[in-house]
Amino acid sequence: MTEQTQVERPTTYDVHAVQDKWLKVWTELDPFRRIDDGSRERRYLLDMFPYPSGDLHMGHAEVFALADVIARYWFQQGYDVLHPVGWDSFGLNAENAAIKRNEHPAEWTYKNIEKQAESFRRYAISFDWSTRLHTSDPGYYKWTQWLFLRLFANGLAYRKASAVNWCPQDQTVLANEQVVGGKCERCGTEVTKRELTQWHFKVTDFVDRLLDDMEALKGNWPDRVLTMQRNWIGRSEGAHVDFRIVGVEEEAGSRQARPAAEDEERPERVDATPASGERPEKVTVFTTRPDTLFGATFFVVAADAPLAAQLCAAEQREQFDAYREQVARVTEIDRLTEGREKTGVFLGVFTVNPVNGERLPVYAAEYVLADYGTGAIMAVPGQDQRDWAFAKKFDLPIVRTVQPPDDFDGEAYTGEGPAINSANDQIDLNGMDVDAAKSAIIAYLEQAGTGRGTVNYRLRDWLVSRQRFWGPPIPIIHCENCGEVPVPEESLPVVLPDLRGADLQPKGTSPLGSATEWVNVECPKCGGPAQRDTDTMDTFVDSSWYFLRYPTPNDDTQAFDVEAVRRWCPVDQYVGGVEHAILHLLYSRFVTKALHDMGYLDFVEPFTALLNQGEVTNQGRGMSKSLDNGVDLGEQIAEYGVDAVRLTMVFAGPPEDDIDWADMSPGGSLRFLQRVWRLSGDMTSEPEVEFSGGDVTLRKMTHRTIAEATHLVEAHRFNVMIARVMELVNAARKAIDTGCGPADPAVREAAETVAIILSLVAPYTAEEMWERLGHPATVAKVGWPRTEESLLTADEVTCVVQVQGKVRGKLQVSPSISDNELQRRALAELSVQRAIGSSTVRKLIVKPPRVVNVVLE
RNA sequence: GCCGGGUUGGCGGAAUGGUAGACGCUGUGGCCUCAAAAGCCAUUGUCCGAAAGGGCGUGUGGGUUCGAGUCCCACACCCGGCACCA
């Protein structure tokens, strides 16, 4: 800064100089390291760790600013805080960048990590930098592989063939959770199906606990996340009902053998179905409406389910094959289109309705899903709209089993009502309401052995194989003699081979397969020739356990230290975006439960409390390159400084609400910080002065602000907390200029209070203030201010006097004023007298010291 | 369709059943200045009124209450999730 500008702007707060100055000091002080010596109560605050694509952006600026308020508040409260930092550094972006630049994905990855690390330091997040980890380090993914092997050893990781989601763009399979609206969550390409043998984690083993344990999260997790998980798990109560199978002209049991040729055409299907040539004796369906069983008039199996091929009669084979091919060509997107016309083909067989012996023609159709329930349904067109549409198209009979109301003019009736047409010589549901009829029919089916009450889930097992390079190799060796052989723990990590650039070009199978030397190994069991599994794991596996690694991030003898994890975990407060509601959060919950059952953890939920910040948008839309409405964090910081950006994020509104940057005023934030900074230079009292002799009115305001700020931070109502601090700043300003003056100790007390509270949000300004107030660094750990009880009670409060519920006057009264005194003073008010006029007072509501209401005749 | 959340000035948002609009942004007027920027002061829901003062106001319609943005019932709209899920 030149002499000239010094003269022109003598009292201007130079944010960038202040930033540079304190960043150096803090780096040396390193004030936010966990102590972990048992001297203080421990708290674990976790931000969802960033993915290193480019530099930090506005979204990061929001979430880390919000979480940092909590972390810094905990530091001020004297807790031993674990606030770790790390990077979710495996993943497709790095790989695609590497192909484009003809280099190794690690180059792009670690360069970006360094960039983000530097930005984090400047952004002054209170991280414990000694925790730093990267999931792409062999020292980390060694233990991701260990986790895989533990799951494998406990029967929770297995390989199966199925029709899986395939992204043609990324050339890899995807988990169900990564398919959003039929499109790849990452690149937006329409997902297709492929028949592949892939590794899965058995999430479904935990389905009831994933659901039930959410009870304990209620109130501490956002409702919408719990709802999303509940929806995703998709629990529905109903029944399994067994149907016998009969041919066109024959009774059950006497089946024709099918031509052998059929099975040769579909060798990949044998694993999921009974041995070829055999016919199932019965087919089971899942239904949530067993009460409508008497109304079943036909039967549908998913066209792409093995069951359909198995049931199909020889004479219908040709038609069925044609239909199945047609269905396979339909993309997920088209299939999901609402009101899509029903298609299907008769399979040449019938099932027998167990309650009335009716023969139901069996169809294959695409509207029945292969991977939900049993892949087969009993069709009740009278009570199900989809079945109705199919029945109309194929001219099938429709029977109502629930009486619709008289004014019902729809097609299928899905509402409540008394059962009709639902009786045989052993059971009579007629007249029962839906719930009663369900119970009755289930009891009947169970007793008859043709069905049972059951619960069905939408949740599928987690598909973890990926045909891409930049992830942890699956630590399995395939041996012709021994099958799937786990890599011995002492041989971990299975380090990625050195591939780069064009080697990584996606081609539908894993790039690892081309690293011949890497692939071909000895079987650890028999020593014979064997091959490594060439797939890598989904990056969500890396992040499903990282919170366990942070207490001991550099331990090369174990994934995590059981004792350290016992001390720090579960995470007390997790902060991150709602986009992970059913991906990362569900997987982490699963892994936690699995590790708990293996005896490693003494808790079953990883994250005690969860805060979802909103999204930062610009002009009402998410920032994106294609919309060209991106706001650059670096530019914002260059213009307004770190503190003003942080303050704007935190003051914008409730943390969970979206922030439209176009509606925000970082300039206003900066002005406030300048006012605050100026305030700290206006004291004329000494740093050691006793506050007790200070101006009582201002002192009361200061202490009320402390009390409120405490409560507001804990309730995560940071925007209101800042409003209270602003009020205190305004009051202190007024006190200096036109009140008790700059020498009064109360003014110093107010300024110091502002500095400490503001250290949660605007650390640079707070530190600079603290120094100007005559104190050594760092304000971040001086301790949360204490309130004095005697200063929290007001001398006077405003009492509102209403007439007929309308405010007609205000009184300044003592908080301890009596009923009689308050009533007397209220009625003596001129404005109140005028409002009453000539009317008669019927009733007086007197609630000292807040309100008096005069009720007239 | 099912589940969850919401609807308050020009804008972001405040309000244990008791002063609706705190705090801030924007706008307007003024001070300072040769001028501008910065800063400071006043004002800023709406209608009537010169003013004093008064009427109306928290998506809509009912209800409970001395008193409702807040509680209850019904509805509309918006956002998010799930969805040919049987």
Side-chain angles (χ1 to χ4, degrees), chain A residues 166-466:
Chain A
W166 177 262
C167 174
Q169 170 68 36
D170 292 338
Q171 295 274 304
T172 183
V173 298
L174 300 169
N176 274 8
E177 288 78 6
Q178 288 164 322
V179 180
V180 180
K183 295 183 176 180
C184 171
E185 173 240 1
R186 194 158 280 284
C187 67
T189 307
E190 281 189 24
V191 169
T192 59
K193 290 276 180 187
R194 265 206 184 185
E195 187 74 23
L196 287 170
T197 300
Q198 301 280 295
W199 286 97
H200 294 74
F201 287 167
K202 232 166 185 299
V203 180
T204 50
D205 268 13
F206 295 82
V207 65
D208 282 318
R209 289 161 66 189
L210 287 167
L211 209 52
D212 296 344
D213 292 349
M214 278 198 279
E215 264 326 292
L217 303 176
K218 252 187 202 154
N220 295 317
W221 278 39
D223 285 341
R224 63 172 166 167
V225 173
L226 295 175
T227 304
M228 283 187 221
Q229 293 220 352
R230 216 173 287 119
N231 284 345
W232 189 258
I233 291 167
R235 181 182 202 272
S236 23
E237 287 185 19
H240 278 146
V241 184
D242 305 329
F243 288 72
R244 284 185 304 131
I245 298 146
V246 293
V248 178
E249 295 299 339
E250 55 193 317
E251 289 309 311
S254 56
R255 311 286 343 123
Q256 294 173 326
R258 290 185 302 166
E262 290 166 20
D263 296 302
E264 286 161 16
E265 286 168 19
R266 275 163 300 281
E268 75 280 8
R269 289 192 182 276
V270 267
D271 61 283
T273 57
S276 54
E278 240 176 68
R279 289 240 163 177
E281 309 212 339
K282 58 181 190 184
V283 182
T284 302
V285 302
F286 172 73
T287 176
T288 56
R289 292 295 302 275
D291 59 302
T292 64
L293 181 51
F294 282 93
T297 55
F298 58 103
F299 196 98
V300 189
V301 297
D304 53 342
L307 183 64
Q310 206 182 332
L311 288 178
C312 185
E315 58 276 17
Q316 292 297 114
R317 177 61 60 181
E318 208 169 304
Q319 260 187 295
F320 168 69
D321 284 346
Y323 178 67
R324 203 164 57 103
E325 248 169 68
Q326 178 196 321
V327 169
R329 277 197 304 273
V330 176
T331 67
E332 197 75 349
I333 294 276
D334 289 340
R335 211 183 57 76
L336 295 177
T337 309
E338 192 120 10
R340 187 175 162 79
E341 196 176 343
K342 295 283 177 286
T343 59
V345 63
F346 179 53
L347 291 182
V349 289
F350 295 81
T351 59
V352 179
N353 189 331
V355 287
N356 59 13
E358 295 267 344
R359 292 201 332 164
L360 311 178
V362 177
Y363 287 81
E366 71 167 0
Y367 86 93
V368 170
L369 306 176
D371 61 357
Y372 183 77
T374 62
I377 63 155
M378 63 180 210
V380 186
Q383 262 66 49
D384 184 287
Q385 188 56 40
R386 296 153 299 180
D387 296 343
W388 175 287
F390 194 89
K392 283 286 168 199
K393 174 96 182 271
F394 289 85
D395 203 18
L396 293 157
I398 294 168
V399 177
R400 281 211 202 280
T401 54
V402 178
Q403 181 64 54
D406 292 342
D407 58 352
F408 178 75
D409 61 353
E411 300 176 335
Y413 177 67
T414 56
E416 295 288 323
I420 51 172
N421 302 322
S422 297
N424 63 20
D425 41 13
Q426 285 159 52
I427 182 167
D428 184 354
L429 305 178
N430 291 334
M432 292 187 190
D433 66 28
V434 171
D435 280 342
K438 278 182 187 173
S439 305
I441 190 77
I442 287 171
Y444 169 78
L445 290 170
E446 283 177 351
Q447 165 263 313
T450 51
R452 60 223 68 90
T454 189
V455 178
N456 192 58
Y457 300 91
R458 187 185 166 281
L459 183 73
R460 299 275 77 92
D461 280 338
W462 175 16
L463 196 169
V464 297
S465 313
R466 294 293 178 276

Side-chain angles (χ1 to χ4, degrees), chain A residues 145-157 489 595 598 600:
Chain A
Q145 292 170 337
W146 171 86
L147 174 66
F148 182 100
L149 293 179
R150 293 314 302 155
L151 293 170
F152 181 75
N154 284 275
L156 296 172
E489 256 179 54
L595 289 172
M598 295 176 206
Y600 292 105

Side-chain angles (χ1 to χ4, degrees), chain A residues 24 74 82 105 134 142 204 247 285 353 383 405 433 458 468 535 648 778 821:
Chain A
K24 267 193 219 111
W74 286 351
L82 174 57
H134 319 120
K142 169 179 182 175
T204 50
V285 302
N353 189 331
Q383 262 66 49
D433 66 28
R458 187 185 166 281
R468 298 295 299 248
D535 285 349
T648 303
T778 172
E821 173 68 5

Side-chain angles (χ1 to χ4, degrees), chain A residues 4 106 165 188 268 280 362 467 592 660 692:
Chain A
Q4 186 70 31
N165 303 303
E268 75 280 8
V362 177
Q467 288 70 50
T592 301
D660 195 323
S692 53

